Amino acid sequence: MTPHTTTSVGAEIYALARDIYPICRSITGDGVRQTLQVLKRHAPIKTHEIASGTSVFDWTVPREWIIREAYIAASDGTRVVDFRNHTLHVLNYSAPIRQHMTLAELKPHLHTLPDDPDLIPYRTSYYEERWGFCITQTQKDALPNDTYEVVVDSEFKNGALTWGEYLHQGKSDDEVLLTAHICHPSLANDNCSGLALLTRLCAALCRRSTKLSYRFLFAPGTIGAISWLAQNEHRVDRVKHGLVLSCVGDGGGPIYKQSRRGDAIIDRAMAHVISHSGLPGRVVPFSPYGYDERQFGSPAFDMPVGLFQRSAFGTFREYHTSADNLDFIAPDHLAISYDIVSQAIDILEGNNVFINLNPKCEPQLGRRGLYGTIGGDKDAPKRSMAMLWVLNLSDGNHTLLDIAERADLPFSVIAQAGEKLLSAGLLAEAETPSGRT
Amino acid sequence: MTPHTTTSVGAEIYALARDIYPICRSITGDGVRQTLQVLKRHAPIKTHEIASGTSVFDWTVPREWIIREAYIAASDGTRVVDFRNHTLHVLNYSAPIRQHMTLAELKPHLHTLPDDPDLIPYRTSYYEERWGFCITQTQKDALPNDTYEVVVDSEFKNGALTWGEYLHQGKSDDEVLLTAHICHPSLANDNCSGLALLTRLCAALCRRSTKLSYRFLFAPGTIGAISWLAQNEHRVDRVKHGLVLSCVGDGGGPIYKQSRRGDAIIDRAMAHVISHSGLPGRVVPFSPYGYDERQFGSPAFDMPVGLFQRSAFGTFREYHTSADNLDFIAPDHLAISYDIVSQAIDILEGNNVFINLNPKCEPQLGRRGLYGTIGGDKDAPKRSMAMLWVLNLSDGNHTLLDIAERADLPFSVIAQAGEKLLSAGLLAEAETPSGRT
Amino acid sequence: MTPHTTTSVGAEIYALARDIYPICRSITGDGVRQTLQVLKRHAPIKTHEIASGTSVFDWTVPREWIIREAYIAASDGTRVVDFRNHTLHVLNYSAPIRQHMTLAELKPHLHTLPDDPDLIPYRTSYYEERWGFCITQTQKDALPNDTYEVVVDSEFKNGALTWGEYLHQGKSDDEVLLTAHICHPSLANDNCSGLALLTRLCAALCRRSTKLSYRFLFAPGTIGAISWLAQNEHRVDRVKHGLVLSCVGDGGGPIYKQSRRGDAIIDRAMAHVISHSGLPGRVVPFSPYGYDERQFGSPAFDMPVGLFQRSAFGTFREYHTSADNLDFIAPDHLAISYDIVSQAIDILEGNNVFINLNPKCEPQLGRRGLYGTIGGDKDAPKRSMAMLWVLNLSDGNHTLLDIAERADLPFSVIAQAGEKLLSAGLLAEAETPSGRT
């Protein structure tokens, strides 16, 4: 697949991912706010906050986590582990501690990956108060017996949970919800990649006049989505299509996980784009485990929101470790991911229904100059077929996506054929059947 | 698959099969009555009789067949073939004969298996009156020219056709019909195995309080099922699920043949159990040939009754020969068969519909201690997934079997998750949608 | 597959194809009329004409093309290319020319197949006025520099477009449309084979009393079908089934291309016949490119008309070249094609619905002599199964084709079982459910 967007898009997304990579995000706190500040330089994202302690369905908005510094110092004062070197070093949402202790006392609080001894794991403890550090197994093994000064200078305070949001108003109030989680610290693919791609897409769509409205949501995983749903319950029905973006910067997949419905337009659009991408992608069914499609797909909402990824979460070695760094993602991969999402949006925008004005037999394309005599144009047969398919199925019962699927031709080829036939006066635009596009 | 029932179940079923193996059964006569006497020692089966000559739909209940002895004696008095040695030796339902004849005269009445020369075949002649013997090809070939005394001391008399039946009344009048044919003589798999398993199951279910009612039927093939249907036509609609059991003691399959409907709950339950059994089983579609599912699946009844077997009838070398003996079946195989049927019954009993009381986003499982932190429990992730699936699909439209199928998790795991969530107050029991469970 | 028709059928069809092969047909003109004259010797086909200039939907009936002679002569008078040697030598529907010119001037008007240098291509220019010749690449390469006399003695005049048609009236006005294109010059498979097979079928059906009416149409491709549809628009709804025949004389396939509906009875009938043919045939989905199924399947008509071929158009080397000659087709292939179409017609004619008069349990087939005791008859088990299937599914909801499909038995076997059971009084004929047969 050759990205049809300019290659600079990949570089722009990469640069933005790089800018937000060092920030220590968590489900609450300044990390999210700082990240949004960076993203706002590129797109008109607005900050929303909901106070700690607010009830959101079965949950309560947690306190803010403030992390100032965290280190382990040997008895000679050398800092052997320091949060300044890597945000993963502190257990995310760690309780404060400031104490001297033996290595034996320290060890139960040191999280490592024994099977991958040179990587730092990413660990969290949101809903149980404890303190801890994450380090490599190699580093742990090398720690001498000593008395260590252990400091996590953190604080929990009543404050707010923060998210970013922007609604691009289209001709219709029907919305497309595009969202990426903003709660992970320095993990490049999961999810600096998603945040950066979404920001770039927001910037691009803002400049377009669109048929549908687009809601961009940059929210902490689980509790952020739950908070947003609690505050937006009355308008959930406006969301006709949606995508969660995560891990979109590596070279795997692409993988699309269907919405709970399994046959929503977004499910079909993403399957279509992936099947025509030339990449070894695949579509997997919904399951109630993963990212925020879990919440959007809870039974009372059952929203048509799927998940787009390159490599599937939990399946790649770098996942939730320090190896998910800026070397693991690449501009080319990001450009392809951007392209796939853009093509799916093109389908949502362009999934029209036409009416063949000469439905009795084929119209005579030859005398209109529409019948493939463009010498040397290797796509001419495909374009002729696309015209025949559009004419044949434009009976008012088929959207362009229906036609593209049945013709097994890329949506863009079908859509261009539709435009050409419309210009030639052979088609009319139909009233879109409700819920079909 | 490790049977979750005690291993003694297999031994018990085997012992019972062994007890009834020597009896010479036919479609009528004392063989059926004697067999029922043995089975009654283990379960509260009642004997039913219908008089010879009674019209049952397109058929007539045949006369009783009484068989006292049958032998072929050489001119020196030696019995070269004797029914006392094997019940298969006499053509089942043979007409009487008492005559001296040459080998040439005898031969047309000797049934053998030329391709399997050391096995005695099982042959019947129910609806055409003739006499005969079944012997090995080897034995036939060795018979010297001689004058033989040929005796079948049998009799046809007006009497009755006999079957065994027991109804275990559950909370509901909706019935599960479980049946095995009782007309074959000394054939261990076909169907001492089915009769013994069904008796053991009857004994076990009698001791349980069940949601559904269970009707156990031990009837001669074809004419027995037809007689039962003729007498029970008015209550056929109560049968919501059913299984015919035959050949359940060998190590093949397991094989489930669907009911005529193909999508009945029993069809789905059996397919589910077999697919999670870890055995190389399979599901085959209905066809109007086989055991009594033919009659239950005739067009006016179209009952949801499938067939459960290990090896499929007609496909194994031992089928309908003297090699279908007590060495061909084994306690372990019987235990697995019992387990499979028991698991299907567990599905029928437990296929509830729950309502998620927190349908807006996921409930917070962590603070209720439901979210997989049981150290070292290797089934914990499966159990967590089961809870998420039950919550996600408990919207009133999905039974637990629906959920198990979509989650591709064993029904028992889904059902346990349902119980746990119910105890935690996260689910309510729904009114079962009619016909869905 | 052994043709069940006499082998002479293949020879007869071949002989007829041979008779019409030399004629230079085009979309209009005497070639079509001459061809119909030959066909009329065998079947009661009537000639229809529509005047040049008549509007037919989006098209206009073209002028007649008269071709008297066409040649290229060297300066010494030798005719190096002559239409008398092969009808393909002249560009079909070529404009007239009579002129001396250099080789360089001539060359742009010489059509060849560079990749297959010894074959003459078939080229047309119906809707753009130009002149030209078709020759082998070898011949073109060998032409010396010279001044050539180039003559196409053709003429366009207002006249008519011609087609042949015959309606065999059956008991019902419901029609089966059977059609073959008549516009190609000397191409044996495409479509002398189809024209000859259709004529032979017409002759045979004329002599039969049929349930359905059969309309035979021998019309020029595209514009002929469009003209027919324009004149018969009011009766298009009578066509309940249809087949386009082309390329039915080679040894490939057989291939059936579905109607636009994809699930019409003809689609199922042809799939059934091909699947039981023992040949490596296949069914392909409808696409709006091919023969006149394109016009019959245009959105306003959406007629249940599929395409039957042996090798698919455009996929074999001989296609649209001089190699599509009388050696490329064979009596045996034609006989098999005839058989397949005949079997499909048998299904259309015999797709009845029966009612089992003993729907409660099986009827006792044995006492009626219907239960497979015909010694040595290897088809007996198949016939017994067919009877059981017909009885089981004759509940008023299944046609014989439904039953044949579910039983996976040839329709003829199922239909014979139906007849046998009807004779035995076990079935009654049902009112055919509307649109099911």
Side-chain angles (χ1 to χ4, degrees):
Chain A
M1 184 180 193
T2 313
H4 67 209
T5 47
T6 58
T7 50
S8 70
V9 168
E12 287 168 37
I13 298 169
Y14 185 85
L16 183 47
R18 192 188 51 212
D19 290 349
I20 60 177
Y21 174 74
I23 301 170
C24 182
R25 284 163 291 272
S26 184
I27 50 172
T28 57
D30 275 342
V32 177
R33 291 188 191 98
Q34 287 162 22
T35 303
L36 288 173
Q37 285 313 313
V38 179
L39 302 184
K40 284 176 182 185
R41 289 180 215 143
H42 303 271
I45 301 161
K46 295 191 180 70
T47 297
H48 292 246
E49 302 217 320
I50 181 170
S52 301
T54 308
S55 284
V56 285
F57 302 128
D58 192 54
W59 303 62
T60 303
V61 175
R63 290 173 297 169
E64 272 195 49
W65 181 56
I66 295 157
I67 177 74
R68 281 178 288 259
E69 72 173 344
Y71 62 85
I72 301 169
S75 55
D76 66 358
T78 318
R79 293 192 177 186
V80 294
V81 177
D82 194 338
F83 167 65
R84 286 180 208 167
N85 296 330
H86 210 300
T87 63
L88 294 184
H89 274 321
V90 71
L91 177 73
N92 201 282
Y93 217 74
S94 173
I97 184 144
R98 185 176 295 271
Q99 196 177 314
H100 285 80
M101 60 184 75
T102 64
L103 180 58
E105 289 167 324
L106 175 58
K107 272 193 169 170
H109 297 270
L110 298 178
H111 302 274
T112 66
L113 290 168
D115 293 340
D116 224 337
D118 293 320
L119 303 188
I120 310 166
Y122 163 55
R123 291 286 180 271
T124 69
S125 189
Y126 297 141
Y127 300 103
E128 192 178 331
E129 196 165 318
R130 47 185 166 185
W131 66 268
F133 287 85
C134 300
I135 63 173
T136 70
Q137 181 67 36
T138 304
Q139 191 172 16
K140 183 179 174 188
D141 292 343
L143 286 180
N145 271 326
D146 195 356
T147 299
Y148 292 94
E149 182 196 8
V150 177
V151 174
V152 176
D153 182 8
S154 68
E155 182 187 340
F156 296 111
K157 70 159 194 186
N158 281 319
L161 176 145
T162 308
W163 73 77
E165 189 173 350
Y166 177 71
L167 176 69
H168 171 64
Q169 182 66 42
K171 292 190 192 72
S172 158
D173 284 343
D174 286 352
E175 286 182 18
V176 181
L177 176 66
L178 299 164
T179 176
H181 63 89
I182 198 171
C183 51
H184 285 29
S186 303
L187 296 164
N189 203 31
D190 181 19
N191 195 24
C192 297
S193 71
L195 294 166
L197 191 155
L198 192 57
T199 301
R200 180 61 179 73
L201 191 64
C202 180
L205 273 170
C206 283
R207 292 191 291 265
R208 278 177 63 182
S209 165
T210 56
K211 182 174 81 174
L212 300 163
S213 295
Y214 289 81
R215 186 173 298 275
F216 296 86
L217 182 61
F218 306 80
T222 307
I223 187 64
I226 292 169
S227 298
W228 184 86
L229 281 163
Q231 291 206 337
N232 292 275
E233 198 180 339
H234 58 288
R235 67 168 86 171
V236 152
D237 285 348
R238 291 190 192 175
V239 177
K240 306 300 183 192
H241 320 278
L243 274 182
V244 175
L245 303 179
S246 83
C247 303
V248 294
D250 71 286
I255 296 172
Y256 175 69
K257 175 183 162 185
Q258 295 175 325
S259 76
R260 184 179 186 263
R261 301 180 187 183
D263 62 354
I265 307 276
I266 188 69
D267 297 326
R268 293 171 52 203
M270 286 299 292
H272 180 81
V273 172
I274 287 176
S275 79
H276 286 277
S277 70
L279 296 169
R282 65 182 202 278
V283 173
V284 297
F286 178 80
S287 86
Y289 187 71
Y291 292 97
D292 287 330
E293 68 279 5
R294 295 162 69 163
Q295 312 307 329
F296 301 122
S298 57
F301 297 127
D302 191 25
M303 292 164 71
V305 178
L307 167 67
F308 177 59
Q309 298 186 279
R310 298 301 298 272
S311 291
F313 69 87
T315 65
F316 51 94
R317 179 195 167 222
E318 295 82 358
Y319 180 72
H320 279 192
T321 74
S322 50
D324 183 358
N325 58 34
L326 292 168
D327 293 334
F328 183 55
I329 66 172
D332 283 356
H333 305 325
L334 290 160
I336 287 172
S337 296
Y338 185 85
D339 224 45
I340 287 171
V341 175
S342 299
Q343 286 185 44
I345 288 172
D346 287 348
I347 294 177
L348 302 180
E349 286 287 313
N351 192 21
N352 297 316
V353 175
F354 291 116
I355 302 288
N356 180 343
L357 298 173
N358 292 272
K360 296 174 180 176
C361 301
E362 291 171 14
Q364 197 177 358
L365 296 177
R367 65 171 157 89
R368 294 178 176 88
L370 293 173
Y371 211 60
T373 44
I374 307 148
D377 179 350
K378 72 177 171 46
D379 286 338
K382 196 183 275 190
R383 282 212 290 270
S384 291
M385 277 310 294
M387 275 191 279
L388 293 175
W389 273 113
V390 171
L391 288 167
N392 190 269
L393 292 178
S394 287
D395 54 9
N397 295 318
H398 297 89
T399 67
L400 290 182
L401 179 56
D402 292 336
I403 300 173
E405 287 174 342
R406 184 152 172 194
D408 196 22
L409 289 171
F411 181 85
S412 59
V413 173
I414 291 292
Q416 285 159 20
E419 286 309 312
K420 211 161 195 170
L421 292 166
L422 189 68
S423 304
L426 290 169
L427 297 180
E429 290 186 74
E431 292 293 309
T432 301
S434 169
R436 288 298 313 286
T437 59
Chain B
M1 186 181 193
T2 311
H4 66 210
T5 47
T6 59
T7 50
S8 69
V9 168
E12 287 168 38
I13 298 170
Y14 185 85
L16 183 47
R18 192 186 52 212
D19 289 349
I20 61 177
Y21 175 74
I23 301 171
C24 182
R25 283 163 291 272
S26 184
I27 50 173
T28 56
D30 276 343
V32 177
R33 291 190 191 98
Q34 288 163 22
T35 303
L36 289 173
Q37 286 313 314
V38 178
L39 302 183
K40 283 175 181 185
R41 288 180 215 142
H42 303 271
I45 302 162
K46 296 192 180 69
T47 297
H48 293 245
E49 302 218 319
I50 181 170
S52 301
T54 309
S55 284
V56 285
F57 302 128
D58 192 52
W59 303 62
T60 303
V61 175
R63 290 173 297 170
E64 273 193 49
W65 181 58
I66 295 158
I67 177 73
R68 281 177 288 259
E69 71 174 344
Y71 61 86
I72 301 168
S75 56
D76 66 357
T78 319
R79 295 194 176 185
V80 295
V81 177
D82 194 338
F83 167 64
R84 286 181 210 168
N85 296 330
H86 209 301
T87 63
L88 295 184
H89 275 320
V90 70
L91 176 73
N92 201 282
Y93 217 74
S94 173
I97 185 146
R98 184 177 296 269
Q99 196 176 312
H100 285 81
M101 62 183 74
T102 64
L103 181 60
E105 289 168 324
L106 175 59
K107 272 193 169 170
H109 297 270
L110 298 177
H111 302 274
T112 66
L113 289 167
D115 293 341
D116 224 338
D118 293 320
L119 303 188
I120 310 165
Y122 163 55
R123 291 285 181 272
T124 69
S125 189
Y126 297 141
Y127 300 103
E128 192 178 331
E129 197 166 317
R130 48 185 165 186
W131 65 268
F133 287 85
C134 300
I135 62 174
T136 70
Q137 181 66 36
T138 304
Q139 191 173 15
K140 183 178 174 189
D141 293 342
L143 286 180
N145 271 325
D146 195 357
T147 299
Y148 292 94
E149 182 195 8
V150 177
V151 174
V152 176
D153 182 9
S154 68
E155 182 188 339
F156 296 111
K157 69 160 194 186
N158 280 317
L161 178 144
T162 308
W163 74 75
E165 189 173 348
Y166 178 72
L167 175 69
H168 171 64
Q169 181 66 44
K171 293 191 191 72
S172 158
D173 283 342
D174 286 352
E175 286 182 18
V176 181
L177 175 67
L178 299 165
T179 177
H181 63 90
I182 198 172
C183 51
H184 284 29
S186 302
L187 296 164
N189 202 30
D190 182 18
N191 195 23
C192 296
S193 71
L195 294 166
L197 191 154
L198 192 58
T199 302
R200 180 62 178 73
L201 192 63
C202 180
L205 273 170
C206 283
R207 292 191 290 266
R208 277 177 62 182
S209 164
T210 57
K211 183 174 80 174
L212 299 163
S213 295
Y214 290 80
R215 185 173 297 275
F216 296 86
L217 182 62
F218 306 80
T222 307
I223 188 64
I226 291 170
S227 298
W228 184 86
L229 281 162
Q231 291 206 336
N232 292 276
E233 198 180 339
H234 58 288
R235 67 168 87 170
V236 152
D237 285 347
R238 290 191 192 172
V239 177
K240 306 302 184 194
H241 322 277
L243 275 183
V244 175
L245 302 180
S246 83
C247 303
V248 294
D250 69 286
I255 295 172
Y256 176 70
K257 175 183 161 185
Q258 294 174 325
S259 76
R260 183 180 186 262
R261 302 181 187 181
D263 62 353
I265 307 278
I266 188 68
D267 297 327
R268 295 171 51 204
M270 286 299 293
H272 180 80
V273 172
I274 287 176
S275 79
H276 286 277
S277 70
L279 295 169
R282 64 183 203 278
V283 173
V284 299
F286 178 79
S287 86
Y289 188 70
Y291 292 98
D292 287 330
E293 68 280 4
R294 293 162 69 164
Q295 312 308 330
F296 300 122
S298 56
F301 297 127
D302 192 25
M303 292 163 71
V305 178
L307 167 66
F308 176 60
Q309 299 186 280
R310 298 302 297 272
S311 290
F313 69 87
T315 65
F316 51 95
R317 179 197 167 222
E318 295 82 358
Y319 179 72
H320 279 194
T321 75
S322 52
D324 183 358
N325 57 34
L326 292 168
D327 292 335
F328 184 53
I329 65 172
D332 281 357
H333 304 327
L334 290 161
I336 287 173
S337 296
Y338 185 86
D339 224 46
I340 287 171
V341 176
S342 299
Q343 286 185 44
I345 288 173
D346 287 347
I347 294 176
L348 302 180
E349 286 286 316
N351 192 20
N352 298 316
V353 175
F354 291 115
I355 301 288
N356 179 343
L357 298 173
N358 292 271
K360 296 175 180 174
C361 301
E362 291 171 14
Q364 198 179 355
L365 297 176
R367 67 172 157 87
R368 293 178 177 88
L370 294 173
Y371 211 60
T373 44
I374 308 151
D377 179 349
K378 72 178 170 45
D379 285 337
K382 196 183 275 190
R383 282 213 290 269
S384 291
M385 277 310 293
M387 276 191 278
L388 292 174
W389 273 113
V390 172
L391 287 167
N392 190 269
L393 293 178
S394 287
D395 54 8
N397 296 317
H398 297 88
T399 67
L400 290 182
L401 179 56
D402 293 335
I403 299 173
E405 286 174 342
R406 184 153 172 191
D408 196 22
L409 288 172
F411 181 84
S412 60
V413 173
I414 291 292
Q416 285 159 22
E419 286 308 313
K420 212 163 196 170
L421 292 165
L422 189 68
S423 303
L426 290 169
L427 298 180
E429 289 186 74
E431 291 295 309
T432 301
S434 170
R436 289 298 312 286
T437 59
Chain C
M1 185 180 194
T2 311
H4 67 210
T5 47
T6 59
T7 50
S8 70
V9 168
E12 287 168 37
I13 298 170
Y14 185 85
L16 183 47
R18 192 187 52 211
D19 289 349
I20 61 175
Y21 175 74
I23 302 170
C24 182
R25 284 163 292 270
S26 184
I27 50 173
T28 56
D30 276 342
V32 176
R33 291 189 192 99
Q34 288 162 24
T35 303
L36 289 173
Q37 285 314 313
V38 179
L39 303 184
K40 283 175 181 185
R41 289 179 216 145
H42 303 271
I45 301 162
K46 296 190 180 69
T47 297
H48 293 246
E49 301 218 318
I50 180 170
S52 301
T54 309
S55 284
V56 285
F57 301 128
D58 192 53
W59 303 62
T60 303
V61 174
R63 288 173 299 169
E64 273 193 49
W65 182 57
I66 295 157
I67 177 75
R68 281 175 288 258
E69 70 173 346
Y71 62 86
I72 301 168
S75 55
D76 65 359
T78 319
R79 293 193 177 184
V80 295
V81 177
D82 195 338
F83 167 65
R84 287 180 209 167
N85 296 330
H86 209 301
T87 62
L88 295 185
H89 275 321
V90 71
L91 177 73
N92 201 282
Y93 217 76
S94 173
I97 184 142
R98 183 177 296 268
Q99 196 178 313
H100 285 80
M101 61 182 73
T102 63
L103 180 59
E105 288 167 325
L106 175 58
K107 272 193 169 170
H109 297 270
L110 298 177
H111 303 274
T112 66
L113 290 168
D115 293 340
D116 224 339
D118 294 319
L119 302 188
I120 310 166
Y122 163 55
R123 291 285 181 272
T124 69
S125 189
Y126 297 141
Y127 299 103
E128 192 178 330
E129 196 165 319
R130 48 184 163 184
W131 66 267
F133 287 85
C134 299
I135 61 173
T136 70
Q137 181 67 36
T138 304
Q139 192 173 15
K140 183 178 174 187
D141 292 343
L143 286 179
N145 272 324
D146 196 356
T147 299
Y148 292 94
E149 182 195 8
V150 177
V151 174
V152 176
D153 182 7
S154 68
E155 183 188 340
F156 296 110
K157 69 159 193 186
N158 280 319
L161 177 145
T162 307
W163 73 77
E165 189 173 350
Y166 178 71
L167 176 69
H168 171 64
Q169 182 66 42
K171 292 191 191 73
S172 158
D173 284 342
D174 286 352
E175 287 183 17
V176 181
L177 176 66
L178 299 165
T179 177
H181 63 91
I182 197 171
C183 52
H184 285 29
S186 303
L187 296 164
N189 203 31
D190 183 17
N191 195 21
C192 297
S193 71
L195 294 166
L197 191 155
L198 192 57
T199 301
R200 180 62 178 72
L201 192 63
C202 180
L205 273 171
C206 283
R207 291 191 291 267
R208 277 177 63 181
S209 165
T210 56
K211 183 174 81 175
L212 300 163
S213 296
Y214 288 80
R215 186 173 296 276
F216 296 86
L217 183 61
F218 306 79
T222 305
I223 187 65
I226 292 170
S227 298
W228 184 86
L229 281 163
Q231 291 207 337
N232 292 276
E233 196 179 341
H234 58 290
R235 66 168 87 169
V236 152
D237 284 348
R238 291 191 192 174
V239 177
K240 305 301 182 192
H241 320 279
L243 275 182
V244 176
L245 302 180
S246 83
C247 304
V248 294
D250 71 286
I255 295 172
Y256 175 70
K257 174 183 161 184
Q258 295 175 324
S259 76
R260 183 180 187 262
R261 301 180 188 182
D263 62 353
I265 307 277
I266 188 67
D267 298 326
R268 294 171 51 203
M270 286 299 293
H272 180 80
V273 172
I274 288 175
S275 79
H276 285 277
S277 70
L279 296 169
R282 64 182 203 279
V283 173
V284 299
F286 177 80
S287 86
Y289 188 70
Y291 292 98
D292 287 330
E293 69 279 5
R294 293 162 70 163
Q295 311 308 329
F296 300 122
S298 57
F301 297 127
D302 192 25
M303 293 163 70
V305 178
L307 167 67
F308 176 59
Q309 299 186 278
R310 298 301 298 272
S311 290
F313 69 88
T315 64
F316 51 94
R317 178 196 167 221
E318 295 83 356
Y319 179 73
H320 279 192
T321 75
S322 52
D324 183 359
N325 57 34
L326 292 168
D327 293 335
F328 184 54
I329 65 172
D332 282 356
H333 304 326
L334 290 160
I336 288 173
S337 296
Y338 185 84
D339 224 46
I340 287 171
V341 176
S342 299
Q343 285 186 44
I345 288 173
D346 287 347
I347 294 176
L348 302 180
E349 285 287 314
N351 192 20
N352 298 315
V353 175
F354 290 116
I355 302 288
N356 179 343
L357 297 174
N358 292 272
K360 295 174 181 174
C361 300
E362 292 171 14
Q364 198 179 356
L365 297 177
R367 66 171 158 87
R368 293 177 177 89
L370 294 172
Y371 210 59
T373 45
I374 308 150
D377 178 349
K378 71 177 173 46
D379 286 338
K382 198 183 274 188
R383 282 213 290 269
S384 291
M385 278 309 295
M387 276 190 279
L388 293 175
W389 273 113
V390 171
L391 288 167
N392 190 269
L393 293 178
S394 286
D395 53 9
N397 296 317
H398 297 89
T399 68
L400 290 183
L401 179 56
D402 293 336
I403 299 174
E405 287 175 342
R406 184 151 171 195
D408 196 22
L409 288 172
F411 181 84
S412 59
V413 173
I414 291 292
Q416 285 158 23
E419 286 309 312
K420 212 162 196 171
L421 293 165
L422 190 66
S423 303
L426 290 169
L427 297 180
E429 289 187 75
E431 292 294 310
T432 301
S434 169
R436 290 298 311 286
T437 59

